[in-house]
Amino acid sequence: MSDTLNKLAAVLEARKGAEASSSYVAGLYAKGLDAILKKIGEEATETVLAAKTGDKAKIVHETADLWFHTLVLLAQQGLKPDDILFELERRFGTSGLDEKAARAGKR
């Protein structure tokens, strides 16, 4: 499945240089970081609301939208899905409490 994320990331990267009117993503990039963050917030809220209904199809749909817009953010910031996957792999097998405590100690 990570191949799908990488393919999508390549498309999102290609849209960075596109004319704003040529695609939804190019338009988001043209509007800037605040517009991308607003979409992530909207999609996160819609995901939460879908989960509250218990409708699995809605949860999948809204989570896909949330992931998509998060991938737009990553591309906008010069990051790739593998950056996130490597971080999750680094954390794998570590207690969430220990990982959180370690991050708190770095601040």
Side-chain angles (χ1 to χ4, degrees), residues 6-20 22-23 25-27 29 71-72 75-76 80:
N6 288 324
K7 287 181 197 175
L8 181 53
V11 170
L12 297 175
E13 187 66 30
R15 293 293 197 297
K16 280 180 165 182
E19 182 66 36
S22 68
S23 78
V25 171
Y29 287 140
L71 289 168
V72 172
Q76 192 264 350
K80 298 196 179 314

Side-chain angles (χ1 to χ4, degrees), residues 14-84:
R15 293 293 197 297
K16 280 180 165 182
E19 182 66 36
S21 62
S22 68
S23 78
Y24 170 75
V25 171
L28 262 181
Y29 287 140
K31 290 176 187 173
L33 180 61
D34 286 346
I36 296 168
L37 296 175
K38 181 179 177 187
K39 283 304 297 180
I40 292 172
E42 290 170 5
E43 299 304 343
T45 299
E46 290 172 5
T47 301
V48 169
L49 293 174
K52 292 288 284 180
T53 71
D55 183 329
K56 291 184 182 351
K58 283 186 180 178
I59 294 167
V60 168
H61 178 85
E62 297 302 342
T63 301
D65 287 349
L66 176 59
W67 285 18
F68 176 84
H69 287 89
T70 301
L71 289 168
V72 172
L73 171 68
L74 292 177
Q76 192 264 350
Q77 295 288 313
L79 296 166
K80 298 196 179 314
D82 280 347
D83 295 322
I84 307 309

Side-chain angles (χ1 to χ4, degrees), residues 69-105:
H69 287 89
T70 301
L71 289 168
V72 172
L73 171 68
L74 292 177
Q76 192 264 350
Q77 295 288 313
L79 296 166
K80 298 196 179 314
D82 280 347
D83 295 322
I84 307 309
L85 295 174
F86 289 139
E87 176 61 14
L88 289 171
E89 187 174 321
R90 183 191 68 76
R91 294 180 188 184
F92 192 78
T94 302
S95 156
L97 296 173
D98 291 342
E99 199 282 326
K100 186 174 180 179
R103 280 189 286 143

